[in-house]
Amino acid sequence: MKEVDDILQVRNLRTYFRTDNGLVRAVDRISLGVRRGETVGIVGESGCGKSVTALSIMNLVRPPGRIVAGQILYRSGDGSTTDIAKLHPNGRQMRSLRGNNIAMIFQEPMTALTPVYSIGDQIAEGVMLHKKLTRRQARERAIEILGKVGIPSPEKRIDDYPHQFSGGMRQRAMIAMALSCEPEVVIADEPTTALDVTIEAQILRLMKEMQSQLDLSIIMITHDLGVIAEMADRVNVMYTGKIVEHAQTDDIFYNPKHPYTLGLLQSIPTIGDKRRLTPIRGAVPNLLTLPEDVCYFAPRCPYAMEICAQAEPPMYQVGTAHQCKCWLYEGNEVVAV
Amino acid sequence: MFTYILRRTLLMIPTLFLISVIAFAVIDLPPGDYLTSYVAQLEAQGAVVSEEQILALQKRYALDQPAHVRYLNWIWRIVRYGDFGQSWNWNRPVRELLAERLPFTIGVSVTTLVFTYLAAIPIGIYSAVRQYSWADYIFTTAGFLGLAVPNFLLALVLMYVFYRYFGVSIGGMFSPEFRDAAWSMAKFRDLLNHLWVPIIVIGTSGTASLIRTMRGVMLDELGKDYVQTARAKGLSEIVVIVRHAAKVAVNPIISVIGWTLPQIISGEAIVAIVLNLPTTGPLLYQSLLTQDMYLAGSFIFILSALTVIGTLLSDILLAWIDPRIRFDREG
Amino acid sequence: MNTDQSLPTTQTKHSLTIDWEDVKPKSSSQGQLMFRRFRKHKLAVAGLVVLCLFYAVAVFNGFVATSDPAKRNSSYVYAPPTLPRFIDHEGNFHFRPFVYGLKSRIDPDTWERVYEIDHEKRHSLSLFVRGDKYRILGVFESDLHLFGTADGAPLFLLGTDSLGRDMYSRIVAGTSISLTIGLIGVFLSLVLGLLIGGLSGLVGGTTDLVIQRIIEILASIPQIPFWMALSATVPASWSPVQTYFAITIVLSLLSWTRVARVVRGKFLALREADFVMAAYAMGAGNWWVIIRHLIPNFLSYVLVTVTLTIPGMILGETSLSFLGIGLKPPAISWGILLQQAQNMRTIALRPWLLLPGVFVVIAVLAFNFVGDGLRDAADPYTSNRF
Amino acid sequence: MTSKLLEICGLKKYFPIRRGLLRRPAGYIRAVDDVSFFVRQGETLGVVGESGCGKTTMARCVLRLIEPTEGSISYWNRAGEQIILNRLNRQELKETRRDIQIVFQDPFSSLDPRMSVFDIISEPLRLHRIGDHRAQAERVAELLELVGLKAYHMDLYPHEFSGGQRQRIGIARALALNPRLVVCDEPVSALDVSVQAQVINLLRDLQEQMGLTYMFIAHDLSVVEHISDRVMVMYLGKVVEIASSEALYLTPKHPYTEALLMAVPIPDPRRKVKRLPLEGAVPDPSNPPGGCSFHTRCPYSTKVCRTSEPVLMELEGEPDRFVACHHASEITLTGWAERLSRG
């Protein structure tokens, strides 16, 4: 992994939840990097820990969850490096990064906006805080950015409340809010899952436009391989709290190495292809009942071997910028993190 | 918004009608004719009641007519002349007694309501934010106790404690020297000195349940996405809690005035009896004991009507504060 | 697309099946789950234990009491509580708890009777002693008491009242009325609430609107004045049993609205649930759906509501009886016992007369805790996964 | 060509919006607005459209879970007689319901949490008084095996299963009475990708084994296209196009169908094509635009689209293809093949 131009570096991150029923290792020793201006995808099924990863990077994990180990290194434009994992979640330093340098777009545009404030107020709030603008200037800025994300007549709609917006418009407003302080990194957690396909297409196009205009780095979190194929430059595949494969998007789709990735690809129906699907057997296991130090995919894996139930596989280098956490590649170079 | 208020106000009419029927039932229900008991009472006091007087009274209250006519007569006199009937016991028009006592009832109730909200909202927020902290446990325990201790018992205990350990008698609304004095700054100060006891006593159970509601709603709101959005903007925790979560959580709390208010007026009645306050409660109590039914029925009617109006006001307030409701109910 | 890619096969045989998580054939119904969740709520369990104790006392009050609650002792008027002790005034430890006797004299200044502990007379306590006769549930006659003085000397654990009656025995006797009035009242509320709420939810339309309005109106009436007014209309000539039922009806007249509201709300929510839709799609009629799906599903919520309604009724009865417009002596309830504590002077001199209030508070607290625990336990689909 | 099993004519379902002082209906949400189509014996008819297009309401009308405002629903029973479903009385309806079943979207709310799996799957048997307890237990075991679960699962409760397993239980319940038509209302949209494929395969296998007819509703075009023989596209309570699934994606005839196809993200990074996302959002169904309801978003709309409403018509020369567009024969739309070839 070339680290020099990474704007964001996650190393060996662990985020655990201490629940009444036991310890949930929601994010377990994951490492990933994001370069300036690129889109990194995180793909996986529900409960695989992709949203917790996003919240960890924002240092927004709430009790009973906690970042227990690892580093989240943010390298800002002036060259200084901050370890987000070390910062106090509510401390001044963390807050000055949030929204200002790293912003987040949430899944449900309906519930992610405070219902009792107008859209404009909610955008202006962050701008006033980070850019030290007056109320009037912040309002100007909010109108400008709303126009940019394609809200028609933003000077009128700015005083509307969230419930007066349609789903797609709300997600545009969310994006406007995320971009209002010109952040360098945007984390998008399932930004289109709650939307209809036609609106999804609009939102994805908007995100691409914004990325090229503002030179954004985007972390795209989704369960939809279609969205990944369209948006991401590189992809991390997550399963039960771990990254099992990382590669260029092209390699993930044309040269998948991990049985889980392959299984996912064979599970999705494609228009124009009526051949029988090849699903992965079984279901995603409950993180509470998992034994430690094994391959969690083994029970569902058609390639499972004796060793899979005995030890956890390391991350192997399986090609150029292509890593895979699977015993099938034993003998390849092990990636150190 | 206007349609909404109009609709709610119109809906109040059947409510008031039903309440008036209940109140009239209270007047009409006791066995025997109150005229008879009134006459008996007067005669017991040594007064001579002439046949004409009795006939006049009978006519005035339509006592020889069937129940619905008597009801209509009663309600008509209230609407037309503001005549709530005569208190046999005090031998005065009920209206005068109401005018004397009602301002105190309203004053104590409203102050208690304000106190309840002022105390419950911050405590509820704090309990929710610091869930499972020792302070939360203390407030929760205190809350449960507040719900479990009957108002009158709390009043008795307070009276006992103050009498026993401070040698102070805390009943009444004024010190003896101000009781019949004209309003002055000193009298007002004296009032404030007395007022806090009933407010605390009446307000406890309301505050307790309100804290629990506020805590619950606040916990719900804190778990919602928009709170995370606000944090993701880089807002400080206090801003996130107060400006975002609490602002949303307060709305359902305002909407429960509808059942906090009856609770307070209810509590006020009984506490006033124990603490001997010059409000409607003791008068209602006495009128019930002596079967002074016009007074009792009118009090029930007025107290319930006040509650209904209070609830309506709180609903309008809520619609005015919350944009979702405001727009939803626009049409 | 490109579904023909496959992974390299190694020499190892790939047929290993590992089954960590097949559902094991251990079944637990919602009821069992609810019970398990309830058990986690420590205060609720404590509350339940207290309530069980209280109701046991309510049934066996004659046995638990130390004397006949109506028995007057003219020489022990307003006697203070005498608590059992193990250590006597000389500091000797006694294995068996005992009480000292009381000496009384008249204060020459105030003409009040004043009591002093008589160290000469020591009465040890023992279990299962014979004493005043009583009946259990009005049928079984007995004179066996749980405990008492071994020598039959009068025992006033919690003092006596103005007629020298034992407060402890009276509080125990009051348990029956104070705790059952809530139960019967709540039963009436439940019947009314289920019928009216169910009707409202099921029929909908205008019926629903009218019922909703009526509920709103009743909920806006301040309870205590309303209760006061209605109980005042109960004729004084009625027998204690008649009054008891009249008060119960008065109490439930306002309380059923709460049950009705919960029932209606759940009815409406469940009616839209997919599993109800599925039942209709199979050909089920309304009754089938109500009996097999709706009732089992909202029963737990009704239980919660009912549990939380009882304390209000207990408090209501206590308040009314305290004011003298609820139950009347010779009936014994906690509220009636508290009547004597109305007067400031009496309380200051004889604070033990407030003790029945403590029991009211404990009972109400216990109900609230149990209701709270039930509410937490009633919600299915929480904390199952993760 | 096989015979019709179900035919819907002029189906309408309006929900009143109550406003103002007296809560009088101030307008109507036209959830389903004059929909006509048929389903053939043994086929899968896919129904696709964005949220709020009326597909679920339409399905519930077909099952008579809600009463349609207008229109007729005909069903041909095993004896080949035509039955008008929405004119049946309660008893007749109960009989017919044995033939038509439904699978729901949400595997959590579709199973009664207080019933055991046995109770859930045997409920239709008990309702129709089929067999004694033992026979029912045997049948439940058989059904569980059929949907890929184990017989001993019948003693468990729904909360002990994963989403996919629950959906299998829902399917087993729907099959208990040997239905002929199963309405699948978004049966896989709540499931994870890997489990979704299992359920799709299961539904296909069951169809083959039992000769079932499906009405398969989903918002995911690729899922619908995968499982269906014919696809019906709905927009704002109306049918805009019905075609065989091949024809639909190769040569869509309605601009909305094209737009839907164009919007679907393809899971293939090398086929990044120029997408023309549809502008704007679905209009308010209580106040649909006049003329063709799609004209506000349609890139091909002309004057006639704004003024007159197009009728769903069978295309000339293409039997079995219905389109509701004034310009269906004039404009050429970029189909899937073209979208891919541009890559």
mmCIF file of all heavy atoms in Angstrom, chain B residues 98-120:
data_model
loop_
_atom_site.group_PDB
_atom_site.id
_atom_site.type_symbol
_atom_site.label_atom_id
_atom_site.label_comp_id
_atom_site.label_asym_id
_atom_site.label_seq_id
_atom_site.Cartn_x
_atom_site.Cartn_y
_atom_site.Cartn_z
ATOM 1 N N LEU B 98 -67.502 32.127 43.265
ATOM 2 C CA LEU B 98 -66.556 31.780 42.199
ATOM 3 C C LEU B 98 -65.580 32.919 41.974
ATOM 4 O O LEU B 98 -64.367 32.717 41.897
ATOM 5 C CB LEU B 98 -67.318 31.515 40.901
ATOM 6 C CG LEU B 98 -67.846 30.100 40.671
ATOM 7 C CD1 LEU B 98 -68.668 30.060 39.399
ATOM 8 C CD2 LEU B 98 -66.708 29.116 40.594
ATOM 9 N N ALA B 99 -66.131 34.117 41.883
ATOM 10 C CA ALA B 99 -65.289 35.270 41.594
ATOM 11 C C ALA B 99 -64.251 35.473 42.685
ATOM 12 O O ALA B 99 -63.143 35.920 42.448
ATOM 13 C CB ALA B 99 -66.163 36.519 41.456
ATOM 14 N N GLU B 100 -64.601 35.095 43.901
ATOM 15 C CA GLU B 100 -63.683 35.250 45.008
ATOM 16 C C GLU B 100 -62.552 34.231 44.944
ATOM 17 O O GLU B 100 -61.386 34.538 45.163
ATOM 18 C CB GLU B 100 -64.448 35.012 46.308
ATOM 19 C CG GLU B 100 -64.432 36.145 47.269
ATOM 20 C CD GLU B 100 -65.444 35.864 48.357
ATOM 21 O OE1 GLU B 100 -65.283 34.832 49.042
ATOM 22 O OE2 GLU B 100 -66.404 36.665 48.488
ATOM 23 N N ARG B 101 -62.946 33.000 44.657
ATOM 24 C CA ARG B 101 -62.003 31.899 44.811
ATOM 25 C C ARG B 101 -61.245 31.535 43.529
ATOM 26 O O ARG B 101 -60.104 31.086 43.589
ATOM 27 C CB ARG B 101 -62.771 30.640 45.269
ATOM 28 C CG ARG B 101 -63.436 30.818 46.624
ATOM 29 C CD ARG B 101 -62.462 30.467 47.703
ATOM 30 N NE ARG B 101 -62.986 30.702 49.031
ATOM 31 C CZ ARG B 101 -62.637 29.963 50.082
ATOM 32 N NH1 ARG B 101 -61.802 28.951 49.941
ATOM 33 N NH2 ARG B 101 -63.109 30.242 51.272
ATOM 34 N N LEU B 102 -61.928 31.691 42.412
ATOM 35 C CA LEU B 102 -61.352 31.185 41.169
ATOM 36 C C LEU B 102 -59.990 31.785 40.829
ATOM 37 O O LEU B 102 -59.078 31.074 40.419
ATOM 38 C CB LEU B 102 -62.346 31.402 40.030
ATOM 39 C CG LEU B 102 -62.251 30.371 38.904
ATOM 40 C CD1 LEU B 102 -62.337 28.959 39.475
ATOM 41 C CD2 LEU B 102 -63.328 30.616 37.882
ATOM 42 N N PRO B 103 -59.811 33.122 41.008
ATOM 43 C CA PRO B 103 -58.499 33.689 40.655
ATOM 44 C C PRO B 103 -57.356 32.984 41.372
ATOM 45 O O PRO B 103 -56.304 32.739 40.782
ATOM 46 C CB PRO B 103 -58.613 35.140 41.118
ATOM 47 C CG PRO B 103 -60.060 35.432 41.081
ATOM 48 C CD PRO B 103 -60.746 34.155 41.433
ATOM 49 N N PHE B 104 -57.593 32.608 42.645
ATOM 50 C CA PHE B 104 -56.522 31.926 43.378
ATOM 51 C C PHE B 104 -56.254 30.548 42.774
ATOM 52 O O PHE B 104 -55.111 30.132 42.616
ATOM 53 C CB PHE B 104 -56.899 31.786 44.856
ATOM 54 C CG PHE B 104 -56.772 33.069 45.598
ATOM 55 C CD1 PHE B 104 -57.883 33.753 46.055
ATOM 56 C CD2 PHE B 104 -55.509 33.616 45.825
ATOM 57 C CE1 PHE B 104 -57.760 34.952 46.737
ATOM 58 C CE2 PHE B 104 -55.376 34.813 46.516
ATOM 59 C CZ PHE B 104 -56.508 35.484 46.963
ATOM 60 N N THR B 105 -57.341 29.828 42.459
ATOM 61 C CA THR B 105 -57.171 28.513 41.854
ATOM 62 C C THR B 105 -56.367 28.614 40.568
ATOM 63 O O THR B 105 -55.400 27.880 40.355
ATOM 64 C CB THR B 105 -58.545 27.894 41.549
ATOM 65 O OG1 THR B 105 -59.234 27.731 42.771
ATOM 66 C CG2 THR B 105 -58.392 26.551 40.875
ATOM 67 N N ILE B 106 -56.784 29.569 39.717
ATOM 68 C CA ILE B 106 -56.075 29.720 38.439
ATOM 69 C C ILE B 106 -54.628 30.106 38.703
ATOM 70 O O ILE B 106 -53.705 29.543 38.123
ATOM 71 C CB ILE B 106 -56.767 30.780 37.559
ATOM 72 C CG1 ILE B 106 -58.162 30.275 37.173
ATOM 73 C CG2 ILE B 106 -55.947 31.073 36.316
ATOM 74 C CD1 ILE B 106 -58.989 31.281 36.411
ATOM 75 N N GLY B 107 -54.436 31.046 39.611
ATOM 76 C CA GLY B 107 -53.081 31.487 39.919
ATOM 77 C C GLY B 107 -52.201 30.345 40.377
ATOM 78 O O GLY B 107 -51.121 30.115 39.830
ATOM 79 N N VAL B 108 -52.693 29.596 41.367
ATOM 80 C CA VAL B 108 -51.886 28.494 41.900
ATOM 81 C C VAL B 108 -51.634 27.449 40.810
ATOM 82 O O VAL B 108 -50.514 26.971 40.622
ATOM 83 C CB VAL B 108 -52.596 27.852 43.118
ATOM 84 C CG1 VAL B 108 -51.876 26.578 43.534
ATOM 85 C CG2 VAL B 108 -52.630 28.833 44.275
ATOM 86 N N SER B 109 -52.679 27.113 40.033
ATOM 87 C CA SER B 109 -52.531 26.084 39.015
ATOM 88 C C SER B 109 -51.526 26.495 37.950
ATOM 89 O O SER B 109 -50.647 25.717 37.569
ATOM 90 C CB SER B 109 -53.878 25.785 38.360
ATOM 91 O OG SER B 109 -54.790 25.348 39.323
ATOM 92 N N VAL B 110 -51.675 27.713 37.455
ATOM 93 C CA VAL B 110 -50.772 28.142 36.383
ATOM 94 C C VAL B 110 -49.339 28.213 36.885
ATOM 95 O O VAL B 110 -48.407 27.757 36.219
ATOM 96 C CB VAL B 110 -51.243 29.499 35.806
ATOM 97 C CG1 VAL B 110 -50.190 30.068 34.869
ATOM 98 C CG2 VAL B 110 -52.555 29.317 35.067
ATOM 99 N N THR B 111 -49.161 28.782 38.096
ATOM 100 C CA THR B 111 -47.802 28.844 38.635
ATOM 101 C C THR B 111 -47.235 27.435 38.784
ATOM 102 O O THR B 111 -46.072 27.193 38.465
ATOM 103 C CB THR B 111 -47.793 29.527 40.023
ATOM 104 O OG1 THR B 111 -48.840 30.478 40.059
ATOM 105 C CG2 THR B 111 -46.478 30.195 40.276
ATOM 106 N N THR B 112 -48.061 26.515 39.281
ATOM 107 C CA THR B 112 -47.590 25.145 39.438
ATOM 108 C C THR B 112 -47.208 24.549 38.089
ATOM 109 O O THR B 112 -46.181 23.891 37.957
ATOM 110 C CB THR B 112 -48.686 24.272 40.083
ATOM 111 O OG1 THR B 112 -49.154 24.918 41.243
ATOM 112 C CG2 THR B 112 -48.139 22.917 40.430
ATOM 113 N N LEU B 113 -48.050 24.815 37.096
ATOM 114 C CA LEU B 113 -47.769 24.285 35.755
ATOM 115 C C LEU B 113 -46.416 24.793 35.262
ATOM 116 O O LEU B 113 -45.577 24.027 34.774
ATOM 117 C CB LEU B 113 -48.879 24.720 34.794
ATOM 118 C CG LEU B 113 -48.880 24.028 33.446
ATOM 119 C CD1 LEU B 113 -49.305 22.586 33.621
ATOM 120 C CD2 LEU B 113 -49.805 24.732 32.480
ATOM 121 N N VAL B 114 -46.203 26.083 35.426
ATOM 122 C CA VAL B 114 -44.941 26.671 34.982
ATOM 123 C C VAL B 114 -43.773 26.048 35.752
ATOM 124 O O VAL B 114 -42.777 25.627 35.166
ATOM 125 C CB VAL B 114 -44.968 28.207 35.171
ATOM 126 C CG1 VAL B 114 -43.594 28.796 34.920
ATOM 127 C CG2 VAL B 114 -45.992 28.826 34.238
ATOM 128 N N PHE B 115 -43.956 25.936 37.058
ATOM 129 C CA PHE B 115 -42.908 25.339 37.884
ATOM 130 C C PHE B 115 -42.618 23.913 37.423
ATOM 131 O O PHE B 115 -41.457 23.512 37.265
ATOM 132 C CB PHE B 115 -43.350 25.336 39.357
ATOM 133 C CG PHE B 115 -42.619 24.357 40.230
ATOM 134 C CD1 PHE B 115 -41.347 24.649 40.700
ATOM 135 C CD2 PHE B 115 -43.191 23.137 40.567
ATOM 136 C CE1 PHE B 115 -40.667 23.741 41.499
ATOM 137 C CE2 PHE B 115 -42.520 22.216 41.361
ATOM 138 C CZ PHE B 115 -41.254 22.526 41.821
ATOM 139 N N THR B 116 -43.702 23.132 37.197
ATOM 140 C CA THR B 116 -43.557 21.751 36.772
ATOM 141 C C THR B 116 -42.695 21.657 35.516
ATOM 142 O O THR B 116 -41.764 20.865 35.441
ATOM 143 C CB THR B 116 -44.957 21.175 36.471
ATOM 144 O OG1 THR B 116 -45.759 21.369 37.610
ATOM 145 C CG2 THR B 116 -44.887 19.716 36.145
ATOM 146 N N TYR B 117 -43.022 22.500 34.542
ATOM 147 C CA TYR B 117 -42.278 22.438 33.280
ATOM 148 C C TYR B 117 -40.856 22.931 33.446
ATOM 149 O O TYR B 117 -39.920 22.344 32.918
ATOM 150 C CB TYR B 117 -43.020 23.227 32.189
ATOM 151 C CG TYR B 117 -44.045 22.361 31.514
ATOM 152 C CD1 TYR B 117 -45.265 22.104 32.133
ATOM 153 C CD2 TYR B 117 -43.781 21.737 30.301
ATOM 154 C CE1 TYR B 117 -46.196 21.273 31.548
ATOM 155 C CE2 TYR B 117 -44.710 20.901 29.709
ATOM 156 C CZ TYR B 117 -45.918 20.682 30.332
ATOM 157 O OH TYR B 117 -46.830 19.846 29.764
ATOM 158 N N LEU B 118 -40.706 24.015 34.192
ATOM 159 C CA LEU B 118 -39.357 24.564 34.373
ATOM 160 C C LEU B 118 -38.457 23.544 35.073
ATOM 161 O O LEU B 118 -37.269 23.456 34.792
ATOM 162 C CB LEU B 118 -39.409 25.860 35.178
ATOM 163 C CG LEU B 118 -39.937 27.064 34.400
ATOM 164 C CD1 LEU B 118 -39.829 28.322 35.248
ATOM 165 C CD2 LEU B 118 -39.162 27.238 33.093
ATOM 166 N N ALA B 119 -39.039 22.777 35.997
ATOM 167 C CA ALA B 119 -38.213 21.813 36.716
ATOM 168 C C ALA B 119 -38.003 20.561 35.872
ATOM 169 O O ALA B 119 -36.908 20.018 35.786
ATOM 170 C CB ALA B 119 -38.875 21.445 38.040
ATOM 171 N N ALA B 120 -39.070 20.108 35.217
ATOM 172 C CA ALA B 120 -39.013 18.790 34.574
ATOM 173 C C ALA B 120 -38.165 18.783 33.313
ATOM 174 O O ALA B 120 -37.433 17.820 33.061
ATOM 175 C CB ALA B 120 -40.424 18.318 34.256
#
